[in-house]
Each structure stands twice: as C-alpha cells, then as structure tokens.
Amino acid sequence: MGGIELRNVQKSYEVDGTLLPVLRGINLHLKENTITVVLGRSGCGKTTLLRLVGGLEKLDEGEIQFYTEHKTAFVFQESRLMPWLNVWDNVKFGLNNKADNTVFIQNSINTVGLKGFEKAYPHQLSGGMQQRVAIARALAYEPSFIMMDEPFAALDYFTRSQMQRELKHLQQKRGTSILFVTHSIDEALLLGDKIVMIEDGEIKSELTIEAGSKERNLLEPEFIERKKQIQNDLGE
C-alpha cells in the first residue's frame, strides 16, 4: 500500500475541566510521492491532525500505521530559523557530522534556489527566502514525509504564489511526500494531488486531482467547478 494509514483517529483536549473533541473518527490514507492537502477553517482540527501524524502529539483512540520508513520533517508558518546561524548552518542544523552531509546541504540549497546565499543570515533574507531555507533544511534531512503547517500564510500574495509554484515543481522533481495544511481553497487546488476537507473534526469529503505535471490554472473551467464543489462541501 505504501504511505501512512489513519484508522479511526480521535483526539480531544481538556479545557477548563471540559473535554472538547477535536478529531472524530478520522480514516485517511496518505499516499507516497504526492501532496495531500488538509483544508478547513481555523479550529477545525487540521493542525492537530498534522501534529498527530508527525508524532508531536499522541492520539486518544485509533491507529496510525506507517508503511514506509518513518522519518518526518516539519515546515511551519514561521521559518523558525536560528538567527545566529547563516543559511548553510541553518540547513545543516540537526544533521549528523557525516562527511557526505556537505553534498546533501548544497543540493538542498540549490534545489530551493538559494545558491550564492549560503553565508547570508536570516535577517538579510526576505520572508520568502527564509521559508526556502526552512524547506531546504527539511529536504536535507531526507525525510519520508514533510509536514507543512500553513507555511506560506504569512507571505504577501506575490511571494506566496511564487512559493506555491516552486513547491509543486520541487515535489514533482523529487517525488517528495508532503502533508500540507491550509485554510485557502486556491492554495489547496494549486498544490493538492488529494484534498481532504475537514469540518468540526470530521472528514467532510475528499477530492483527487489528476492534473499531471503542467502548472495549474485556477481560471480554467475544471478548477472553477472544483472550487465551487469545495465551497459547497464546506458550506461556504
């Protein structure tokens, strides 16, 4: 089968003595070498789902089965770079000291388009460039899955659009497996091979997009109809 399988996953949090359910009976297959987008409003449980899959939290009930090597990297909304380290050392951070790390680090920096910025510090980079460093750091770790929690939400429209295109191209080039969380329908349509819509802690619907390697145009009738379908499924 490959990938990651979630079976009847449930998670609640205790708030002021009251148990509040966040995820209710989630059943989901995350395929290898694809981008699975989890889409929903703020507070619907999508980030909790990502954190459970990534091992940052423990589920209350159910099972998460890994069919491939379980090696996970994260990219968050903030780049979370070490301000006292340059680009090279930020990408290197967390790796061991094997001699061949140099190749992985340089290849990862080149892949995200930052060749020539190896000695630059975070404060010398734009927001988009900082997120490229965060992605390069994740790639250098050679994970089986990258967990991305609204990584472009804080960027301006033009930088965000550029980063979306670059991520899609990078994923297709490398065959990287990605679980991507967003509240943007347009972003989900641009990136997702599968879009999972969550509402009130439950999967409302799923949508698979077979768009090949060509860049997606959301003004095409196909994507306009898909956007309407998502809006209808999420009650917009």
Side-chain angles (χ1 to χ4, degrees), residues 77-122:
Q77 183 171 335
E78 310 85 14
S79 60
R80 302 193 181 185
L81 303 180
M82 311 299 171
W84 59 89
L85 299 180
N86 60 28
V87 168
W88 180 276
D89 289 333
N90 263 291
V91 174
K92 181 181 178 181
F93 189 83
L95 301 179
N96 58 34
N97 294 316
K98 292 191 302 181
D100 58 359
N101 271 349
T102 298
V103 176
F104 289 126
I105 294 168
Q106 190 64 62
N107 285 345
S108 297
I109 291 172
N110 294 350
T111 296
V112 299
L114 287 179
K115 184 176 182 180
F117 288 90
E118 290 86 354
K119 300 303 180 183
Y121 286 84

Side-chain angles (χ1 to χ4, degrees), residues 136-194:
R137 181 173 58 191
L139 292 173
Y141 185 62
E142 295 195 296
S144 52
F145 261 86
I146 300 179
M147 308 290 165
M148 308 187 81
D149 189 4
E150 303 199 55
F152 309 141
L155 303 178
D156 64 82
Y157 170 81
F158 301 101
T159 304
R160 183 172 185 162
S161 296
Q162 180 184 5
M163 292 298 297
Q164 289 164 346
R165 291 192 297 270
E166 290 179 359
L167 178 65
K168 189 65 179 177
H169 175 72
L170 184 153
Q171 186 275 329
Q172 292 171 338
K173 180 180 179 181
R174 284 210 172 191
T176 308
S177 305
I178 296 174
L179 178 60
F180 191 103
V181 164
T182 184
H183 61 265
S184 167
I185 296 176
D186 286 354
E187 186 165 67
L189 287 169
L190 284 168
L191 294 177
D193 298 300
K194 178 163 75 171

